[in-house]
């Protein structure tokens, strides 16, 4: 009890190094540990991102048949997730489920974040469903992780499903959730869903950032909707949202694919005057637009600027 109190005091006081030193002394002197002591030690390791030591203490609990509870698993999973050891985090979560220790919001969120990093979208979706079935409170972090995982793997329907479920619950969706869902739709050219989501962002007065507009402009680019692309780009300028190189490339590219070389050149001229950062993709799209319009002299001029 005394050892556990000392470690816990160090951990709560952000003195994690001292807590780890004390743990080392305990190991050397073979001081008998219990669940409370080990939990405090694992929690201290989590705070200073020492996933290796957290797992070492956790394994010691198993070897010495010390009962591991929700605190033990949660701290160990969080330590692995924060340290980038996502596969270890998911292994621990699976072991936790087998032990019939049911996770709370923070632990499931950490596991979902690990799913996002490792690209296991099926498990992320299962974890999200689990939260609903067990009536575990769903937080913004968990939602963002699940939707982002689906986005990365082109599962736009799953991303929309998650988004729809959350609008029916009390979870406040932030710009990350909107951006990830719009981007998921954009990757497969689902422009109607993307535009509906954008309208929802505007109606809720949720902050419209570069990523949000990048998403809808990318949809326009893929679907050959150059007028829409220019419309959203003008909205960026009006709202004083700084366009990224991805945005610029998508707008010019949209004009080029639709054979609107004059609009592409006008836009390129405006961007040049505003000293916006233009990359090779944007300039190449402008050259291609000139080529389609038979404006070889303008194409050579842009090429000379690139050179």
């Amino acid at each position: 009890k005394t050892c556990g109190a000392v470690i816990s005091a160090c951990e709560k006081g952000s003195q994690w190094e001292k807590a780890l030193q004390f743990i080392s002394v305990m190991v050397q002197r073979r001081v008998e540990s219990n669940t409370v002591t080990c939990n405090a030690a694992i929690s201290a390791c989590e705070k200073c991102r020492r996933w290796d030591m957290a797992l070492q203490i956790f394994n010691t609990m198993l070897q010495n048949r010390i009962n591991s509870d929700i605190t033990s698993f949660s701290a160990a999973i969080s330590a692995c997730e924060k340290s980038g050891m996502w596969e270890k985090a998911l292994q621990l979560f699976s072991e936790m489920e087998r032990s019939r220790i049911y996770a709370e919001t923070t632990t499931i969120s950490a596991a979902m974040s690990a799913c996002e990093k490792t690209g296991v979208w099926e498990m992320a979706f299962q974890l999200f469903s689990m939260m609903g079935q067990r009536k575990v409170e769903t937080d913004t972090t968990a939602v963002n992780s699940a939707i982002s995982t689906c986005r990365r793997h082109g599962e736009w329907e799953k991303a929309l499903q998650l988004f729809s479920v959350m609008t029916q619950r009390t979870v406040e969706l932030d710009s990350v959730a909107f951006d990830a869902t719009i981007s998921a739709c954009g990757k497969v050219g689902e422009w109607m869903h993307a535009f509906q989501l954008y309208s929802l962002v505007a109606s809720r007065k949720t902050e419209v950032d570069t990523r949000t507009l990048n998403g809808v402009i990318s949809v326009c680019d893929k679907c050959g909707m150059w007028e829409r692309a220019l419309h959203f780009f003008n909205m960026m300028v009006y709202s004083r949202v700084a366009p990224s190189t991805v945005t610029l490339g998508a707008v010019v590219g949209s004009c080029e694919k639709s054979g609107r070389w004059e609009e592409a050149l006008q836009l390129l001229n405006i961007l040049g005057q505003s000293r916006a950062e233009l990359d090779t993709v944007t300039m190449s799209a402008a050259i291609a637009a000139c080529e389609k319009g038979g404006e070889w002299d303008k194409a050579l001029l842009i090429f000379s600027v690139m050179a």
Side-chain angles (χ1 to χ4, degrees):
K1 289 184 178 180
T2 305
C3 294
V6 172
I7 295 171
S8 183
C10 292
E11 183 257 322
K12 289 178 181 177
S14 300
Q15 299 295 318
W16 308 309
E17 290 184 357
K18 290 183 179 179
L20 293 181
Q21 289 172 4
F22 192 79
I23 293 165
S24 299
V25 171
M26 284 181 63
V27 173
Q28 290 171 4
R29 296 183 180 180
R30 296 182 180 178
V31 176
E32 187 176 348
S33 301
N34 57 30
T35 304
V36 175
T37 309
C38 291
N39 284 352
I42 294 172
S43 185
C45 294
E46 179 226 338
K47 295 294 190 303
C48 60
R49 300 176 187 271
R50 287 297 305 273
W51 67 272
D52 52 342
M53 188 169 283
L55 284 183
Q56 186 179 336
I57 296 167
F58 186 85
N59 290 330
T60 300
M61 292 179 74
L62 298 178
Q63 292 167 7
N64 296 334
R65 296 183 180 179
I66 299 171
N67 290 331
S68 51
D69 57 13
I70 188 168
T71 304
S72 319
F73 277 100
S74 296
I77 289 169
S78 183
C80 292
E81 188 270 326
K82 287 180 179 177
S83 303
M85 302 302 295
W86 305 303
E87 291 183 356
K88 290 283 186 184
L90 292 178
Q91 286 173 10
L92 283 170
F93 188 87
S94 298
E95 190 174 332
M96 185 179 184
E97 287 292 300
R98 286 195 296 271
S99 302
R100 294 186 179 181
I101 298 173
Y102 299 117
E104 296 175 342
T105 302
T106 307
T107 310
I108 297 178
S109 294
M112 289 173 79
S113 178
C115 289
E116 179 189 351
K117 302 300 188 301
T118 53
V120 190
W121 72 267
E122 297 97 333
M123 187 172 182
F125 198 80
Q126 288 171 6
L127 289 171
F128 185 84
S129 300
M130 179 195 296
M131 295 180 89
Q133 292 166 2
R134 295 181 182 175
K135 296 182 179 179
V136 177
E137 183 183 355
T138 310
D139 63 0
T140 306
T141 304
V143 177
N144 291 346
S145 295
I147 293 176
S148 294
T149 306
C150 293
R151 175 187 63 81
R152 288 187 179 184
H153 293 271
E155 295 294 329
W156 67 273
E157 289 176 310
K158 292 291 186 184
L160 272 179
Q161 187 178 338
L162 288 169
F163 188 92
S164 178
V165 170
M166 294 322 303
T167 55
Q168 297 168 19
R169 297 184 187 178
T170 56
V171 178
E172 185 178 348
L173 296 169
D174 60 10
S175 60
V176 176
F178 278 98
D179 296 348
T181 312
I182 289 172
S183 179
C185 294
K187 281 190 171 184
V188 291
E190 287 292 326
W191 62 270
M192 286 187 66
H193 291 296
F195 290 168
Q196 286 171 1
L197 286 166
Y198 179 82
S199 297
L200 187 58
V201 174
S203 65
R204 289 191 174 194
K205 294 184 179 179
T206 303
E207 183 183 355
V208 179
D209 57 13
T210 306
R211 287 187 180 183
T212 308
L213 286 161
N214 273 350
V216 290
I217 289 173
S218 292
V219 176
C220 297
D221 179 25
K222 287 179 181 175
C223 299
M225 305 172 75
W226 67 272
E227 289 177 304
R228 286 271 191 170
L230 284 176
H231 168 72
F232 285 116
F233 181 77
N234 289 330
M235 285 186 66
M236 288 187 83
V237 175
Y238 179 78
S239 304
R240 295 184 179 180
V241 177
S244 67
T245 52
V246 175
T247 314
L248 302 177
V251 177
V252 176
S254 180
C255 293
E256 177 265 317
K257 289 174 185 175
S258 303
R260 309 301 301 190
W261 64 270
E262 289 181 332
E263 285 80 2
L265 288 182
Q266 286 174 6
L267 183 58
L268 196 67
N269 185 47
I270 293 169
L271 295 174
Q273 290 174 359
S274 64
R275 295 182 180 179
E277 185 180 347
L278 304 176
D279 62 358
T280 307
V281 174
T282 308
M283 302 289 270
S284 297
I287 291 173
C290 293
E291 184 268 329
K292 286 183 178 179
E295 297 292 326
W296 61 268
D297 54 334
K298 290 183 175 63
L300 287 175
L301 179 62
I302 296 169
F303 183 79
S304 66
V305 172
M306 290 177 67

